[in-house]
C-alpha cells in the first residue's frame, strides 16, 4: 500500500501528523505558501481567518502534484475560521476530481463547515479531525483508520 500525505502546517501540529505517516511508511509532501501569515498572533489569526473565509488560494512554492502510483492520498490542513486553510485551498484546486482523504487539525477538535465542504467536493473521502495533536498526542490514534 503506497500512501502519500500532502499537507500544510503553520504551528507544527500538521508536522506531527506527517511524522506519524512517515513512521508508517508514507511519503510526505509539505506545501509552503509564498506569503506566510503575519508573525503577530492576532494579525495571523485575523488574516488566516479571513483568507479561509473567502476560500483564498495561496500561491505556493513549487510542489509536486503528481499522484501516480499511490494507493492512498491524504491531504492535511489546519482548520482556520472553521474552514480549510488557504494554502490547502490551492492543493484542492490542483487535485480537483482526484480520490483524496483528509486529516484536519483543529484547536476545538471539530470542523463541521470544513467537513461538509470536503464531503461535497470529494464525496468518497475519509475525513478525520484531530484536536490539537501537539497537546493531545492520543488524538493521533484516530489516524489508525488509514492503516487498518
Ligand atoms: C488563522 C487561524 C485560525 C484558526 N481557526 C480555528 C477555528 O476556527 N477552529 C479551531 O478549532 N481551531 C482554529 N485554529 C487553531 C488551529 O486549527 C489548530 O491550532 C491546528 O492544530 C493548527 O495546525 P498547525 O499547527 O499544523 O498549523 C486556528 C488557527 C489559526 C492560525
Amino acid at each position: 500500500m503506497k500512501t502519500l500525505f500532502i499537507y500544510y502546517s503553520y504551528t507544527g501540529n500538521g508536522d506531527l501528523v506527517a511524522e506519524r505517516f512517515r513512521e508508517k511508511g508514507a511519503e510526505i509532501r509539505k506545501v509552503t505558501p509564498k506569503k506566510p501569515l503575519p508573525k503577530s498572533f492576532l494579525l495571523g489569526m485575523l488574516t488566516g481567518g479571513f483568507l479561509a473565509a473567502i476560500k483564498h488560494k495561496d500561491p505556493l512554492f513549487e510542489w509536486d502534484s503528481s499522484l501516480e502510483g499511490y494507493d492512498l492520498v491524504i491531504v492535511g490542513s489546519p482548520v482556520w475560521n472553521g474552514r480549510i486553510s488557504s494554502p490547502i485551498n490551492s492543493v484542492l484546486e490542483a487535485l480537483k476530481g482526484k480520490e483524496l482523504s483528509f486529516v484536519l487539525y483543529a484547536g476545538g477538535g471539530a470542523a463541521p463547515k470544513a467537513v461538509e465542504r470536503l464531503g461535497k467536493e470529494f464525496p468518497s473521502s475519509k475525513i478525520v479531525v484531530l484536536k490539537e495533536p501537539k497537546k493531545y498526542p492520543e488524538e493521533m490514534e484516530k489516524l489508525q483508520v488509514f492503516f487498518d
Side-chain angles (χ1 to χ4, degrees):
M1 181 93 173
K2 224 176 144 206
T3 301
L4 173 65
F5 182 57
I6 303 174
Y7 80 107
Y8 168 69
S9 178
Y10 175 53
T11 55
N13 287 278
D15 294 318
L16 210 63
V17 173
E19 206 40 58
R20 175 60 59 92
F21 277 117
R22 199 193 304 276
E23 283 165 16
K24 294 283 187 180
E27 284 178 35
I28 310 298
R29 290 180 200 159
K30 183 176 184 178
V31 299
T32 309
K34 287 189 173 163
K35 194 171 174 208
L37 286 185
K39 285 214 165 61
S40 131
F41 177 74
L42 190 62
L43 257 186
M45 289 294 280
L46 288 172
T47 307
F50 172 71
L51 292 175
I54 63 167
K55 278 190 168 181
H56 181 72
K57 300 176 193 85
D58 282 3
L60 302 176
F61 284 109
E62 200 173 314
W63 64 285
D64 178 4
S65 61
S66 67
L67 306 184
E68 221 163 285
Y70 292 98
D71 305 294
L72 175 63
V73 179
I74 304 161
V75 173
S77 176
V79 171
W80 285 358
N81 198 2
R83 298 159 173 95
I84 303 297
S85 64
S86 46
I88 293 299
N89 282 333
S90 304
V91 171
L92 297 186
E93 175 73 10
L95 304 183
K96 211 187 265 180
K98 307 283 184 195
E99 203 165 302
L100 306 175
S101 287
F102 297 92
V103 179
L104 305 178
Y105 9 104
K113 239 181 238 170
V115 169
E116 190 189 339
R117 174 187 165 194
L118 294 175
K120 278 187 191 146
E121 293 183 21
F122 299 89
S124 59
S125 60
K126 227 180 238 178
I127 306 170
V128 170
V129 185
L130 306 182
K131 180 173 176 165
E132 219 66 318
K134 265 197 331 190
K135 199 166 170 192
Y136 307 104
E138 65 276 15
E139 283 286 297
M140 307 266 274
E141 297 312 313
K142 293 183 186 166
L143 299 177
Q144 193 56 37
V145 292
F146 296 114
F147 310 121
D148 287 339

